[in-house]
Amino acid sequence: MTAPSPKSSANIAAPIGIAGKELWQREWQVKQQGAVQWLYPLVLFLVIITLFPLAVGSEPQLLHRLGVPAVWIAALLSLVMGVDGLFKPAMDNGTLAQLVVSRTSLPLWVLIRLTIHWIFSSGLVALLSLLAVPLFGLSWGEAGALLVSILVGSPMLLMLSAIASSLTLSLKNGAVLVPLIALPMQLPVLIFATGAVDLYATGLNGLPIFALLAAGSIISVLVMPWAIAMTLKMAWLN
């Protein structure tokens, strides 16, 4: 009996998954091509923090007191608004099916996709939060603490929104249910983050809360992609 040739062995070999570098390059290009979609949440964030002072009034003390909650609420709403297109296009255009068939690591793809989405959403929102200095009269120290709170808290918010988006992927009007599922889980993050900035503003130590938010984000980044990948695979099979 003759041994199979290398060529024939290659023909019957199972497909090899896509490497992480290729996944990153592909998702980065896809994100850049859909610039209009990721600009919508940023525009919403700017509209909220710009109109809020006009609606509340020009009293400096009131604006200063409401500045941090207003910016965080705007950041949360803009983040929830942008999660609708996280996985639905990949399901519709067959990208998810190709990843499953090629035995590509779905958790790695989910992590890369969410990381790039975070850069274009929460990362830019954190920089735009510095507008709270002229709009709400925050000091640069308070604005810096606000920026840090968004940076350390937003990954956990994104993961919670992503798991809600994956759970409603197979539903016809699932996008409507995403905020209803995600917001109750995200409220503690909002409370802790604004509380940490308030502690810093009053001269107290807010580092333990920042560390708690960072720990929650790290745990979410390590665990959630696996849960999301499993949910996406079940949605594709169904």
Side-chain angles (χ1 to χ4, degrees):
M1 181 181 296
T2 59
S5 64
K7 183 176 180 180
S8 61
S9 299
N11 290 334
I12 63 174
I16 302 175
I18 305 175
K21 183 179 179 181
E22 297 175 353
L23 284 175
W24 178 275
Q25 292 175 348
R26 180 191 178 281
E27 293 301 326
W28 187 267
Q29 293 176 357
V30 169
K31 199 67 174 180
Q32 289 180 328
Q33 292 173 358
V36 177
Q37 296 180 353
W38 60 262
L39 281 176
Y40 285 149
L42 298 181
V43 172
L44 175 64
F45 175 81
L46 290 175
V47 168
I48 293 176
I49 66 171
T50 303
L51 294 181
F52 198 89
L54 299 177
V56 173
S58 59
E59 184 180 351
Q61 294 181 352
L62 180 60
L63 285 177
H64 184 272
R65 186 168 66 252
L66 297 179
V68 173
V71 172
W72 251 103
I73 290 174
L76 178 58
L77 293 178
S78 64
L79 180 63
V80 173
M81 176 185 175
V83 299
D84 183 33
L86 279 177
F87 306 116
K88 186 66 174 176
M91 173 72 80
D92 295 338
N93 60 25
T95 300
L96 183 60
Q98 292 178 1
L99 293 173
V100 174
V101 172
S102 64
R103 297 186 180 179
T104 301
S105 174
L106 278 184
L108 177 61
W109 173 74
V110 169
L111 180 60
I112 291 175
R113 194 174 185 88
L114 293 181
T115 301
I116 294 177
H117 180 79
W118 180 89
I119 293 174
F120 282 85
S121 58
S122 299
L124 296 178
V125 164
L127 295 177
L128 293 176
S129 67
L130 296 177
L131 293 174
V133 174
L135 292 175
F136 296 95
L138 269 65
S139 65
W140 284 106
E142 294 170 342
L146 176 60
L147 185 149
V148 172
S149 69
I150 294 176
L151 289 178
V152 300
S154 56
M156 186 165 25
L157 296 179
L158 178 58
M159 292 296 168
L160 293 174
S161 298
I163 191 66
S165 178
S166 64
L167 288 173
T168 59
L169 188 61
S170 58
L171 301 180
K172 184 177 181 180
N173 296 320
V176 181
L177 299 176
V178 172
L180 299 178
I181 298 174
L183 285 176
M185 297 185 292
Q186 294 170 332
L187 284 180
V189 181
L190 175 66
I191 295 172
F192 278 104
T194 55
V197 180
D198 290 339
L199 286 177
Y200 177 86
T202 55
L204 299 176
N205 187 13
L207 288 179
I209 301 181
F210 285 129
L212 182 63
L213 291 174
S217 293
I218 293 173
I219 295 174
S220 299
V221 170
L222 293 176
V223 176
M224 286 296 185
W226 297 90
I228 295 171
M230 186 180 301
T231 307
L232 291 176
K233 192 171 183 179
M234 292 175 61
W236 174 73
L237 292 174
N238 295 331

